[in-house]
Amino acid sequence: MLEIAVASGKGGVGKSTLSSTLILYLKERGYDIIAVDADADAPNLHLIFEVERWDKEEPYSDSWVSEIDYFRCVNCGICHNVCTYGAVSLVEGRYYINPMICEGCLTCSLACPEKAIRRKRVNRGVIRLSYTKYGFPLWTSELSPGRPNSGRLVTEIKNRAKAMAKENTISVVDSAAGIGCQVISSLSGANVALLVAEPTPASLSDLKRIHTIAKQFSLPSALVINKYDMNSEFVEEIIKYAREENIDVIGMVPYDDHVPKAMAEMRPLIKQYNEAPASKALVEIARIVEERIIRGWSDWSRSHRPSKPARYVPIIIKPGEKA
């Protein structure tokens, strides 16, 4: 199994458009494909692939919150004093545990002299599976409002995709924007980091951040520059960084009004506007991924794997200090 994670340091740079094109291209070329939408906060691949119903949908419950039994509670306030998350507050004269903040750590329950606090399991979100009209399964998830740890949801759907994969399956993971926990989960266990950037200083800065995470996992990386013609003078800055970091620049996509049109019409770009300039560029990039990365995996991965993992340096905030 080969897992390709499509990622970027910022949103709106074309990850989902690239992911959907790569998925469709490889499927049409006869590969066994599994699609994974790893944006648990705002999944959207199902819109692009015209999913009208889910073949499987189930709640994902791996988290807990505490609640107060007011028949036993004597309103002593100890729970408020010991809660490290600030989840307990005084509301209209009695203590209340906010389920949107509570982590279910049991500290308040252990500290309560009246044993008036208990934990209950809550849904973190929902996991969904669709066998799309294009002939491949799509795993996706959606985090419940206010619930933490979207990275666990991403890990869960990736594990389910792996469980149904065959030896020659290719899994394309459409990551969320940024460098948060769900993006880290997207890159963890992947074989390739396919990075997307735009020719702007902000995008270059975010590219450096996401590539640092890829290096922490020792992932060989490839780069696609989207909307390159919007600021062609800055393209060389991004290419220069890619050369310095041994990132394989596999293609550039022009700005094209057909891209937002296809998204508004909720159809894959290469199906809706296959003659559009962006479609042709993306298909060529998909062809390069097939020939250079998939078929030439042994040589390509050896050539572009980081010489050493990037160091992870945690920021330690001592009690009483501000972040």
Side-chain angles (χ1 to χ4, degrees):
M1 177 181 175
L2 185 69
E3 186 174 300
I4 302 173
V6 182
S8 73
K10 67 185 294 291
V13 298
K15 289 188 306 299
S16 295
T17 302
L18 174 60
S19 297
S20 59
T21 300
L22 182 59
I23 290 165
L24 289 171
Y25 177 88
L26 294 176
K27 181 61 182 177
E28 291 174 356
R29 295 282 292 172
Y31 291 90
D32 184 60
I33 297 294
I34 298 177
V36 178
D37 189 338
D39 188 346
D41 289 320
N44 66 352
L45 272 187
H46 64 287
L47 300 177
I48 296 175
F49 291 131
E50 306 167 75
V51 173
E52 296 180 352
R53 65 177 184 85
W54 298 104
D55 295 285
K56 185 175 183 179
E57 187 171 13
E58 64 181 72
Y60 181 60
S61 304
D62 75 332
S63 59
W64 302 81
V65 297
S66 295
E67 64 178 5
I68 299 173
D69 181 354
Y70 290 105
F71 288 103
R72 292 187 175 186
C73 178
V74 296
N75 220 33
C76 64
I78 292 177
C79 55
H80 173 268
N81 296 334
V82 301
C83 181
T84 59
Y85 295 98
V88 185
S89 58
L90 193 62
V91 179
E92 297 181 353
R94 68 178 184 178
Y95 287 96
Y96 167 75
I97 300 176
N98 188 334
M100 295 297 183
I101 303 175
C102 177
E103 292 284 340
C105 67
L106 273 181
T107 301
C108 58
S109 179
L110 294 172
C112 179
E114 303 298 325
K115 305 300 179 185
I117 301 176
R118 57 179 178 267
R119 286 199 311 174
K120 66 176 183 179
R121 188 176 287 276
V122 294
N123 290 341
R124 185 184 301 279
V126 61
I127 292 173
R128 299 183 176 112
L129 169 66
S130 173
Y131 293 94
T132 68
K133 62 186 290 185
Y134 296 101
F136 57 83
L138 167 64
W139 282 100
T140 185
S141 64
E142 188 170 358
L143 190 69
S144 298
R147 300 314 307 159
N149 297 328
S150 54
R152 288 190 181 183
L153 268 174
V154 170
T155 299
E156 180 66 21
I157 60 173
K158 284 184 58 177
N159 287 340
R160 296 196 184 196
K162 289 178 181 178
M164 68 161 46
K166 304 172 184 176
E167 184 178 353
N168 62 344
T169 296
I170 297 175
S171 177
V172 179
V173 179
D174 185 22
S175 305
I179 57 171
C181 59
Q182 56 185 332
V183 179
I184 293 172
S185 295
S186 299
L187 294 175
S188 176
N191 303 106
V192 182
L194 180 51
L195 308 178
V196 188
E198 293 177 341
T200 65
S203 186
L204 175 57
S205 174
D206 293 328
L207 171 65
K208 293 177 180 178
R209 297 169 72 200
I210 189 66
H211 184 237
T212 297
I213 296 176
K215 288 193 295 182
Q216 288 173 356
F217 289 110
S218 295
L219 293 180
S221 299
L223 175 65
V224 172
I225 302 175
N226 192 23
K227 305 175 188 175
Y228 76 92
D229 50 345
M230 296 293 288
N231 189 5
S232 56
E233 295 178 358
F234 198 79
V235 169
E236 189 55 40
E237 289 291 323
I238 297 180
I239 293 177
K240 178 182 177 182
Y241 170 76
R243 288 171 180 162
E244 292 172 350
E245 294 292 329
N246 195 28
I247 302 173
D248 189 7
V249 181
I250 60 173
M252 295 189 285
V253 182
Y255 177 82
D256 191 341
D257 285 334
H258 293 96
V259 176
K261 285 182 180 179
M263 297 193 74
E265 292 159 359
M266 293 190 293
R267 289 210 70 207
L269 175 67
I270 61 172
K271 295 294 183 180
Q272 191 77 337
Y273 302 107
N274 64 328
E275 292 298 320
S279 288
K280 294 180 178 180
L282 286 164
V283 168
E284 175 61 17
I285 289 168
R287 185 192 65 80
I288 292 173
V289 169
E290 180 194 11
E291 294 188 0
R292 190 182 300 178
I293 298 177
I294 297 174
R295 292 186 177 179
W297 171 248
S298 180
D299 292 337
W300 184 88
S301 62
R302 191 184 312 114
S303 298
H304 295 283
R305 192 176 302 278
S307 56
K308 60 180 180 179
R311 287 187 59 199
Y312 170 68
V313 182
I315 299 175
I316 301 175
I317 302 173
K318 298 180 181 179
E321 292 183 348
K322 294 183 178 180

